[in-house]
Amino acid sequence: MRRLNPRVLGGGLLALLLLVLMGFPTGLGAQEAGRAEAADRPNDPLQRELDFCQGLVGLRFPDFALKILDHLERENPAQKARIARVRVAALTALGKAEEARALIRTFPQDRIDTLAMLLALGDQLYAMGRLAESRAIYREFFARFHKEGPPAQWVEFYREAAYKYAQMMLLAGNEKEAMEAYDRILNTKPESELERRLQIEIAEIAFRLGKAAEGAERQVFFNRTRELCRNVQWGGVDLWFGQSVVLLAHLEMMEGKPEKARETIQTFLPMLRELDDALRGANYPMKLSPMAQCRYLLGTLYEEEARRLLAEGKRAEAQKAFSEALTHLFNVFVRYPDSSWAPESGARAERLAEELKEAGFQVQLPTIDLKPVIEAQVREARLQFSQNDFKAAAAKYRTVLNVFPERPGMASLVGELAQCYLNLQDKLYLRAVVQELTDRYGPRPAHREEAGTALIRLVAAAEEIQDFESADTISQVFFDRFADHPQAAALLFRRGEERFSKEQYDLALDYFSRIVEVHTNASVWLPALNRLASCYSKLGDWTNAVEILQRYVTEVPVGAALASGRFRLAEAYRNLDRLEEAIREYQKLVKALVEEPRKYASNPDEERANQMLLEQAMFWKAFCYSRLGDPPEKKPLYQARAAEEYRAFLKAFPKSALGPNALSSLGVLLLVLNRGDEAAAAYERLAREYPDSEQARNAVFARGAALLEMGEREKAAQVFQEMFNRPSAFTAAQFYQAGRVMLEQGEIETAVQSFRQAAQTATEPALKEMAHFSLGEAMARKGDWTGAVKELETLFTLNSNTGYMMPAGFLLARAHAELGKAAPDERTRGLHFNAAIRALNRAGRVIQTPEDRARRDLETASLQRLKGDTDGALASYQRLVLLGDVQNPKVRPYIEQAFEQVMPMLAEKGMFQDMVDNATLYLEQFPRGRLVAQARQWRAEAQRRLALAGAAEPPSPGGERDEPVPEEGGRP
Amino acid sequence: MTTRTSRRRREIVLIGMILAAGVALGDRVIFKDGTIMEAVSIRFRASTQEYIVQTQQATVPIPAARVERVEVPKPPALDQAMADIRSGKYDAAIPVLEKIVQDYQGLEWDNQARDGLGMAFLGKRDFRRALAVYRELFTALPAERIPLAVRRRYWQALQGAEQYAILKRELDDAIAKAPRDVAAMAQLMRGDMYAAQGQKNDALLDYLRTVILYEKERESRPEALFKAAKLLEELRDPRAADLRKMLTSEFPNHPYARQVSAGG
């Protein structure tokens, strides 16, 4: 075997290694040619435009690109060829490959840039999955040079095309054609380094083809492999030399000659050692050395030989062979920890040593420490990850995890593997890997915390790349399976805060509730309790808000937070009409802030906030007194007390923004208490100190409204009658306002009267429209659908583009639908439902937001139901339930309503599987929804009906069981 | 410049191996402390949980708690009974195996016979009886000595007897805690269970996980590749082709690989 001069070896090696490390040099494809030209013309405006067009094609806007290219061609007729390159790409992207080819044919066929365009077309077709067409183009290209090869000046271009084609064929699984392509390059007599690399690549392909073939065909391929390997070996000692040794050994193993394979490697081992030394001396990464693979192969061959000898009873010889095997395997992972053979060698050596001990051999080995091997492999994986090469990183992680499963630190690596798939957006593989953490590592105490932490990191990684769906899903998995993790509470709080910030209060509830119920010792427990109360308040669920706030005020230390908490508790009571309890809380707060202000504020901001709380508390306390009515005989006492409280408030806060309200209410109370002079003084003060306030300008209305709120309906009616008795003394706006208050309080007839007055006397078109719309609403409330239609049609007559288009359209549709439902004959019925549809369509014209669309769907469904079109209504509801944007807090209430409406309809139609699916979806999407209990009932009933019908039911997901299943026996 | 010899010295060298002591002849009792007793005959007395061992000198009772295992010649009828099972002649095999279970109680062959009985009952789709037999077997053997294939047959008996709740619990437990080869097999079984219930996504996850992270478990890998490929194909996922390619290249002679090559 010829040995090279080490210097030559070193120089050749350097070149070769650079080739390996930097990849095959890419050359002149059409795009590359363009870029090369661009490099020559850095300030060329045309090139910038062409680059832009190329970018448009890449972003799937080839039609826009073509328009620009047409313009460029008109402006630069002499640059047609340059422009044509990009035009070809645009045409192909539009599916117009034939047109692209025709264009290429208009250029001289003996020019390299024409051929570059042709091949670029081939590349694009390949990228679009049109393999046959791509092949045809490339084969046509090669056929041109079949007899005499490419001219000298085209050799580089030809080689690059052939190499690229070979890669394409390998990816497509066509190894024969890949081999032919490499052979074409060889036929151009490339320089030595390239020739040797190609020979090895061809040899590897030939070997693989031989393995898959049989008989004579196999022999042909194997002979080729052998021949190429010998050629490489004759050429010198380098990395390809090492590869050839490995290939030959594999070949001999395939031919059933393991001893020959061993002999081959042993023969060349001295040369490989020299190569190793050269690499080491030049500080190259040892993972490039072929020695690792060769010694691994030797190790496995010796192991097989040893097992064979043992089976034949030749223990002494087996012992020697085992010794050799272990020596080689050890050396691989100790000396080449970075190589891809190290993990397998280490694991194999460890396993072999254990087996030998169990078989009764006494084995003395140095301690097998695989940590350096694992660390080296993991370092490489992390480096690839940091370079965004997620596919390669995933492959590396898998190698490590498959060879060294379930050691300390492996759970974290499983998490990192999952992150690779997350970044590749491969959701399927991501879920599979996450399941390994939950099902395998999670249940084991030694790995549990690490597995949970890996999931937390995965959630953070998902948030970082804004894959919120994955972040949510993985968080949920974490919460379900790792509820005891030290960081569970913190993550729950973070997720809750995120939902809270998006106003998704019902979803935020779930997270905060879990903390409050389960993580009672967590540092975030009290903040979670606070947030939970806020969620309930935002949702208007005052009952639960009270319960939580009661707990909160007993737990929170004395300070600003307690003051705020107590105020919110009082407010919650007030909203529930539990006025006495509200008054008690307001009173506690007032007392605390007046008597011990320093205890409740530690800085000026808190002091200011507390002053505002005190102001509010005093006002609302007075308000609550004014609303107390039971027992009736005590009412005057309450009203007197309310008056005192208002006075106290006005004394403490003479310039308060609530002053007008307080004075107005005080005046009303004093009137009711027959203290007329005092009442007059109050009104006089209102007019003097707050002349521009609504209460001052609209004293009669304010009186009436206040009396209504106090429950003094008769007195309120008398006051409003004043307005109707002297209509000229009041404006249309005041009548409208009165009407609104009446409508809110359920005084429909008076409301109608007020609105009618407003509509008749209003001069501003906007006010007229408001009045007519409100009349429509009032009529609808009364069930006077004919009246509602009349008023709403009047509204549209006044202004066909009214700002009330959507609500009036929906209401008008509803009114017509109700009239249609009650119609005496088919014709009338048809007229009304058609009118309803027109009204809906009218409303639909101004729909802009998702919540408006959701409402439209709901209204459509209602209309369809009234019409008797059950299937249509069902489809409309289901569209919302299944496809509505459940993440949008404004759409969620409509989805919930749709669910509530559709479930009885599905039951009626016997669509029980749909009921189960809908209920399951609801429970996932609305874990704290108002229909949770109902949804469970519906689902249980549907499952029961399905079981009776004999259909297969999957069990309820999430471990829930709606019915117990009888079991026999127990575990053995 | 270093010589080959000195370089070799620097490499890690293994030192010495010693042959294991003892050569086995005839019936034997292997004790938990590693010692071995040769015997003329051995029988098991279930009522006292003792082995009655006849040596050349005497007949001695030995508590089963001291015994790791016993070795007695194979029952002559066992091979034929197993052959009958393989060729579907279950009714012929069953009485033979039941006798072996009775006559060789506590002597290791009874467990093999039990497995044979289990296979016969599975073949006859008499899942309750199969389950009963396997439960006896699992009582008789420690968990680490139960072969993978036997464990799988037990799970199949549970599935056939529709004891899904127990089966799921067993599989979840095995997936969580058993050695990796058992866990991989349990994942396949759980995947099959999900697939039978129409939960194809869950089935796919179990198969895929076995493919991705249990590469070393060669007994389970071909089946995992095959089944994962099948489900991926239903989803029109192009990776189905990759998995099939892996199956045919890694296990060219496996029945699943042949099925794929034949277009299945």
Side-chain angles (χ1 to χ4, degrees):
Chain A
M1 185 59 54
R2 179 166 70 92
R3 287 192 187 193
L4 285 185
N5 183 318
R7 268 171 149 190
V8 172
L9 170 68
L13 183 61
L14 174 61
L16 187 58
L17 284 171
L18 283 172
L19 199 66
V20 167
L21 291 170
M22 290 164 64
F24 197 92
T26 55
L28 300 176
Q31 287 78 22
E32 286 84 356
R35 281 196 212 104
E37 289 185 33
D40 294 339
R41 288 190 280 243
N43 296 316
D44 178 8
L46 175 61
Q47 190 54 48
R48 283 200 297 277
E49 294 294 324
L50 289 175
D51 289 344
F52 174 65
C53 289
Q54 189 65 53
L56 283 174
V57 173
L59 289 169
R60 299 191 190 176
F61 294 112
D63 39 358
F64 288 123
L66 276 176
K67 287 194 170 76
I68 298 172
L69 290 168
D70 288 341
H71 170 73
L72 288 174
E73 210 170 286
R74 282 194 295 275
E75 298 287 314
N76 304 275
Q79 300 295 331
K80 195 174 170 190
R82 274 178 75 193
I83 295 167
R85 279 189 206 123
V86 183
R87 188 183 290 282
V88 162
L91 285 169
T92 317
L94 279 168
K96 296 179 181 174
E98 275 314 310
E99 218 175 300
R101 286 201 75 157
L103 174 61
I104 294 170
R105 274 189 220 112
T106 64
F107 292 94
Q109 299 297 295
D110 56 350
R111 286 170 57 93
I112 196 169
D113 43 8
T114 307
L115 293 176
M117 266 194 278
L118 183 66
L119 293 184
L121 172 61
D123 294 344
Q124 195 138 1
L125 288 168
Y126 179 84
M128 290 163 68
R130 291 159 68 171
L131 181 60
E133 291 166 87
S134 173
R135 273 181 74 204
I137 288 176
Y138 267 90
R139 289 175 82 84
E140 183 191 315
F141 168 77
F142 293 132
R144 284 171 189 259
F145 312 105
H146 175 66
K147 282 190 182 149
E148 292 169 7
Q153 67 274 24
W154 287 11
V155 163
E156 276 310 310
F157 174 68
Y158 178 87
R159 283 177 187 161
E160 282 147 19
Y163 189 82
K164 195 185 343 172
Y165 184 65
Q167 301 307 303
M168 285 156 65
M169 289 300 106
L170 283 172
L171 275 171
N174 188 341
E175 292 191 308
K176 275 190 188 163
E177 209 150 324
M179 202 161 75
E180 277 174 27
Y182 281 142
D183 273 327
R184 289 195 179 95
I185 306 176
L186 273 185
N187 291 341
T188 66
K189 311 266 182 286
E191 58 280 13
S192 170
E193 286 85 11
L194 179 56
E195 183 188 37
R196 290 166 67 70
R197 173 179 171 156
L198 285 167
Q199 284 172 334
I200 282 298
E201 293 209 27
I202 297 172
E204 282 176 353
I205 296 174
F207 178 67
R208 286 199 297 270
L209 286 168
K211 265 171 65 173
E214 285 175 353
E217 198 191 356
R218 171 182 267 210
Q219 210 44 55
V220 165
F221 284 124
F222 281 173
N223 287 344
R224 185 92 206 274
T225 305
R226 201 167 262 118
E227 178 202 339
L228 288 164
C229 285
R230 296 276 180 240
N231 286 346
V232 167
Q233 284 170 352
W234 274 111
V237 180
D238 54 18
L239 292 178
W240 311 125
F241 175 90
Q243 280 296 102
S244 72
V245 171
V246 169
L247 254 181
L248 282 176
H250 276 300
L251 190 53
E252 275 138 13
M253 281 166 67
M254 276 301 303
E255 289 176 338
K257 301 170 192 165
E259 333 73 39
K260 191 100 189 357
R262 271 204 322 273
E263 199 186 298
T264 298
I265 301 176
Q266 294 279 30
T267 304
F268 291 115
L269 221 43
M271 275 159 249
L272 292 176
R273 286 206 178 92
E274 284 183 17
L275 177 62
D276 242 25
D277 289 341
L279 282 172
R280 217 181 292 278
N283 281 326
Y284 280 112
M286 293 312 293
K287 66 179 180 179
L288 294 175
S289 167
M291 182 67 96
Q293 190 179 6
C294 286
R295 292 200 79 164
Y296 174 79
L297 206 48
L298 260 185
T300 57
L301 287 169
Y302 272 115
E303 184 188 342
E304 282 166 22
E305 171 72 2
R307 288 185 192 283
R308 185 185 62 75
L309 288 166
L310 196 61
E312 289 171 8
K314 299 175 184 170
R315 285 184 83 92
E317 292 167 55
Q319 173 191 324
K320 277 189 195 153
F322 276 128
S323 229
E324 285 288 326
L326 280 170
T327 303
H328 287 295
L329 292 172
F330 255 82
N331 275 278
V332 171
F333 75 78
V334 168
R335 293 164 69 82
Y336 309 94
D338 288 6
S339 86
S340 54
W341 301 99
E344 195 54 54
S345 284
R348 201 165 181 139
E350 201 179 52
R351 221 168 30 240
L352 186 53
E354 277 306 310
E355 273 182 42
L356 290 173
K357 280 180 197 160
E358 278 174 21
F361 290 96
Q362 271 198 0
V363 180
Q364 280 186 1
L365 293 168
T367 314
I368 300 178
D369 182 12
L370 292 173
K371 219 168 146 208
V373 176
I374 298 173
E375 280 169 5
Q377 298 295 314
V378 171
R379 248 194 323 270
E380 176 132 352
R382 287 178 179 154
L383 178 64
Q384 285 162 335
F385 188 95
S386 68
Q387 291 167 344
N388 289 348
D389 190 355
F390 303 116
K391 212 167 165 185
K396 203 57 149 177
Y397 280 120
R398 279 175 65 169
T399 302
V400 175
L401 287 165
N402 275 293
V403 178
F404 304 112
E406 295 169 28
R407 292 175 190 240
M410 288 300 134
S412 299
L413 294 190
V414 175
E416 289 175 33
L417 174 60
Q419 286 191 38
C420 293
Y421 291 126
L422 174 72
N423 279 280
L424 288 167
Q425 284 292 286
D426 187 340
K427 303 283 173 97
L428 186 56
Y429 275 54
L430 169 63
R431 281 176 64 199
V433 172
V434 164
Q435 203 179 57
E436 180 75 353
L437 283 172
T438 57
D439 288 11
R440 183 72 181 170
Y441 285 84
R444 295 161 157 237
H447 300 289
R448 185 165 174 74
E449 190 172 324
E450 196 188 331
T453 307
L455 283 178
I456 292 175
R457 287 200 195 115
L458 192 54
V459 169
E463 286 168 346
E464 206 179 301
I465 63 169
Q466 306 204 335
D467 182 356
F468 298 116
E469 191 191 327
S470 294
D472 277 344
T473 309
I474 299 164
S475 297
Q476 214 46 59
V477 166
F478 173 80
F479 296 137
D480 288 342
R481 305 293 292 267
F482 294 87
D484 58 338
H485 193 277
Q487 293 180 51
L491 184 60
L492 278 167
F493 193 80
R494 205 169 87 217
R495 304 297 299 164
E497 282 292 277
E498 201 197 330
R499 295 289 188 188
F500 193 89
S501 68
K502 290 181 186 167
E503 298 180 12
Q504 295 168 341
Y505 302 116
D506 55 338
L507 294 175
L509 254 183
D510 198 34
Y511 293 106
F512 296 128
S513 295
R514 278 210 220 197
I515 298 173
V516 166
E517 285 157 23
V518 175
H519 301 277
T520 52
N521 290 328
S523 60
V524 293
W525 184 81
L526 198 56
L529 192 65
N530 185 24
R531 276 297 201 219
L532 186 57
S534 298
C535 287
Y536 280 125
S537 300
K538 295 278 188 192
L539 290 169
D541 182 349
W542 301 111
T543 308
N544 277 313
V546 159
E547 191 187 314
I548 299 300
L549 284 164
Q550 279 173 337
R551 223 167 138 190
Y552 182 68
V553 298
T554 60
E555 296 283 348
V556 71
V558 173
L562 176 57
S564 164
R566 196 171 291 292
F567 178 77
R568 287 153 61 200
L569 177 57
E571 289 287 279
Y573 277 130
R574 182 168 65 79
N575 276 288
L576 281 172
D577 267 343
R578 287 162 64 173
L579 299 175
E580 289 179 10
E581 287 153 300
I583 288 169
R584 266 200 291 279
E585 293 304 323
Y586 286 129
Q587 178 53 30
K588 280 183 197 168
L589 180 60
V590 168
K591 187 170 189 292
L593 292 180
V594 165
E595 292 177 7
E596 297 176 299
R598 290 218 179 130
K599 264 180 149 182
Y600 292 88
S602 58
N603 58 59
D605 285 339
E606 285 179 357
E607 281 172 19
R608 271 191 292 277
N610 285 348
Q611 275 298 105
M612 286 170 64
L613 284 180
L614 180 60
E615 183 181 342
Q616 299 265 330
M618 289 184 74
F619 175 84
W620 288 111
K621 185 174 138 194
F623 176 90
C624 287
Y625 269 118
S626 75
R627 295 297 182 268
L628 285 174
D630 281 322
E633 59 273 18
K634 277 197 166 178
K635 200 167 170 184
L637 282 173
Y638 295 141
Q639 287 168 337
R641 181 65 190 268
E644 273 176 43
E645 295 292 340
Y646 275 127
R647 282 199 206 280
F649 164 75
L650 288 163
K651 189 176 174 192
F653 297 96
K655 298 289 179 200
S656 170
L658 292 166
N661 236 316
L663 282 167
S664 177
S665 298
L666 176 61
V668 165
L669 282 165
L670 291 168
L671 279 176
V672 166
L673 290 167
N674 290 319
R675 286 149 68 174
D677 292 342
E678 291 173 71
Y683 284 122
E684 192 264 329
R685 183 177 166 186
L686 171 62
R688 187 179 68 245
E689 292 182 19
Y690 303 96
D692 295 325
S693 68
E694 189 57 41
Q695 289 82 353
R697 287 188 289 117
N698 204 358
V700 171
F701 166 76
R703 261 201 343 263
L707 283 164
L708 261 181
E709 282 176 17
M710 283 181 217
E712 301 281 352
R713 288 184 122 69
E714 276 184 34
K715 291 193 171 118
Q718 284 166 14
V719 168
F720 282 116
Q721 196 52 49
E722 269 184 56
M723 289 177 75
F724 296 125
N725 292 343
R726 298 182 295 130
S728 55
F730 301 93
T731 65
Q734 285 169 329
F735 275 110
Y736 174 78
Q737 206 173 3
R740 290 300 328 167
V741 168
M742 291 297 172
L743 193 61
E744 272 164 41
Q745 294 292 329
E747 296 290 335
I748 309 293
E749 291 303 335
T750 318
V752 167
Q753 210 179 344
S754 294
F755 288 136
R756 215 175 276 300
Q757 182 65 31
Q760 281 164 7
T761 58
T763 51
E764 307 94 340
L767 187 52
K768 261 190 163 10
E769 289 173 33
M770 283 158 65
H772 278 290
F773 175 71
S774 297
L775 270 169
E777 277 188 309
M779 295 297 181
R781 284 271 290 269
K782 268 178 29 165
D784 179 358
W785 299 109
T786 306
V789 167
K790 181 168 170 252
E791 297 303 335
L792 293 168
E793 291 290 5
T794 305
L795 166 63
F796 286 123
T797 306
L798 282 172
N799 182 2
S800 58
N801 284 324
T802 173
Y804 284 93
M805 184 78 80
M806 198 166 62
F810 286 145
L811 190 54
L812 183 58
R814 178 78 195 279
H816 272 299
E818 292 285 353
L819 288 170
K821 186 180 167 193
D825 56 76
E826 211 41 55
R827 185 179 166 277
T828 313
R829 185 183 148 81
L831 283 171
H832 277 300
F833 277 113
N834 284 342
I837 291 167
R838 279 198 301 276
L840 261 186
N841 289 340
R842 187 183 244 159
R845 286 207 299 267
V846 298
I847 281 175
Q848 290 185 342
T849 63
E851 55 270 29
D852 289 343
R853 272 191 285 278
R855 189 179 162 190
R856 194 253 331 261
D857 284 347
L858 215 54
E859 296 288 341
T860 304
S862 295
L863 193 156
Q864 286 165 324
R865 273 183 100 164
L866 286 166
K867 198 177 170 189
D869 178 8
T870 320
D871 288 341
L874 219 137
S876 296
Y877 285 131
Q878 283 293 84
R879 192 165 45 246
L880 253 182
V881 168
L882 298 174
L883 302 176
D885 182 4
V886 76
Q887 299 298 323
N888 184 330
K890 292 180 183 161
V891 173
R892 285 172 69 82
Y894 295 112
I895 296 174
E896 205 168 18
Q897 282 181 56
F899 171 74
E900 191 176 15
Q901 294 297 320
V902 82
M903 290 298 272
M905 293 175 73
L906 288 172
E908 218 173 285
K909 284 188 127 348
M911 295 168 70
F912 300 116
Q913 189 56 58
D914 289 292
M915 285 184 74
V916 170
D917 294 342
N918 273 13
T920 304
L921 189 61
Y922 177 84
L923 291 166
E924 276 170 29
Q925 292 174 340
F926 295 85
R928 301 272 163 171
R930 60 184 177 86
L931 299 168
V932 160
Q934 179 71 73
R936 288 213 174 98
Q937 280 176 21
W938 274 324
R939 185 168 69 179
E941 176 57 22
Q943 283 170 335
R944 192 182 70 79
R945 299 289 281 266
L946 280 172
L948 281 174
E953 279 175 49
S956 305
E960 295 172 36
R961 294 216 69 88
D962 298 307
E963 289 182 279
V965 171
E967 296 177 4
E968 291 185 43
R971 285 188 69 188
Chain B
M1 177 156 156
T2 55
T3 63
R4 216 208 238 170
T5 314
S6 57
R7 190 190 295 116
R8 189 82 176 145
R9 274 204 207 105
R10 284 210 307 276
E11 290 175 347
I12 294 153
V13 174
L14 300 166
I15 306 166
M17 292 180 190
I18 300 172
L19 284 171
V23 175
L25 295 167
D27 291 12
R28 299 203 298 174
V29 178
I30 294 114
F31 290 88
K32 284 185 177 166
D33 61 8
T35 53
I36 297 173
M37 177 189 279
E38 304 294 337
V40 173
S41 74
I42 304 171
R43 61 184 173 81
F44 183 71
R45 190 157 64 196
S47 55
T48 55
Q49 289 290 298
E50 285 173 328
Y51 287 98
I52 309 302
V53 180
Q54 185 185 353
T55 66
Q56 283 172 342
Q57 289 80 34
T59 301
V60 293
I62 298 171
R66 286 183 56 203
V67 174
E68 176 68 29
R69 68 179 190 281
V70 297
E71 290 178 6
V72 302
K74 189 195 292 191
L78 180 60
D79 283 346
Q80 182 56 48
M82 297 307 289
D84 282 341
I85 289 172
R86 281 190 291 274
S87 53
K89 297 175 191 164
Y90 306 120
D91 291 330
I94 287 171
V96 172
L97 292 169
E98 282 172 338
K99 189 158 188 331
I100 293 174
V101 167
Q102 197 180 359
D103 294 345
Y104 284 78
Q105 197 183 8
L107 301 178
E108 306 291 333
W109 297 111
D110 59 335
N111 291 322
Q112 275 213 23
R114 281 194 182 92
D115 185 31
L117 271 176
M119 288 162 70
F121 289 132
L122 281 172
K124 283 168 65 87
R125 302 185 66 76
D126 187 344
F127 298 112
R128 282 179 181 276
R129 289 180 77 181
L131 208 48
V133 161
Y134 281 117
R135 283 186 170 135
E136 275 178 30
L137 197 157
F138 278 46
T139 312
L141 277 179
E144 59 273 15
R145 285 184 56 196
I146 297 173
L148 209 48
V150 171
R151 201 177 283 277
R152 185 147 193 193
R153 286 192 276 275
Y154 162 64
W155 290 332
Q156 285 167 342
L158 278 171
Q159 186 173 34
E162 296 182 354
Q163 296 200 10
Y164 297 117
I166 299 175
L167 176 60
K168 175 111 188 348
R169 200 169 58 226
E170 295 248 344
L171 293 177
D172 286 349
D173 213 46
I175 288 166
K177 295 173 192 161
R180 286 183 74 78
D181 57 342
V182 178
M185 191 63 74
Q187 273 154 209
L188 291 183
M189 193 70 210
R190 193 171 71 175
D192 291 348
M193 195 181 76
Y194 282 137
Q197 293 173 346
Q199 295 174 53
K200 290 189 177 176
N201 281 339
D202 291 330
L204 178 55
L205 287 179
D206 271 332
Y207 298 143
L208 214 47
R209 198 161 108 247
T210 312
V211 166
I212 298 170
L213 289 166
Y214 290 77
E215 283 177 17
K216 299 294 168 200
E217 307 316 324
R218 307 308 275 178
E219 217 172 313
S220 305
R221 189 162 169 80
E223 190 178 336
L225 283 166
F226 180 81
K227 288 179 174 172
K230 206 152 176 248
L231 287 179
L232 282 174
E233 193 159 44
E234 285 184 28
L235 294 171
R236 295 182 199 271
D237 192 315
R239 286 173 294 195
D242 297 336
L243 296 197
R244 280 197 294 268
K245 207 167 166 190
M246 274 191 239
L247 174 59
T248 52
S249 66
E250 288 178 41
F251 305 96
N253 296 317
H254 195 279
Y256 278 126
R258 279 192 239 124
Q259 206 175 329
V260 161
S261 303

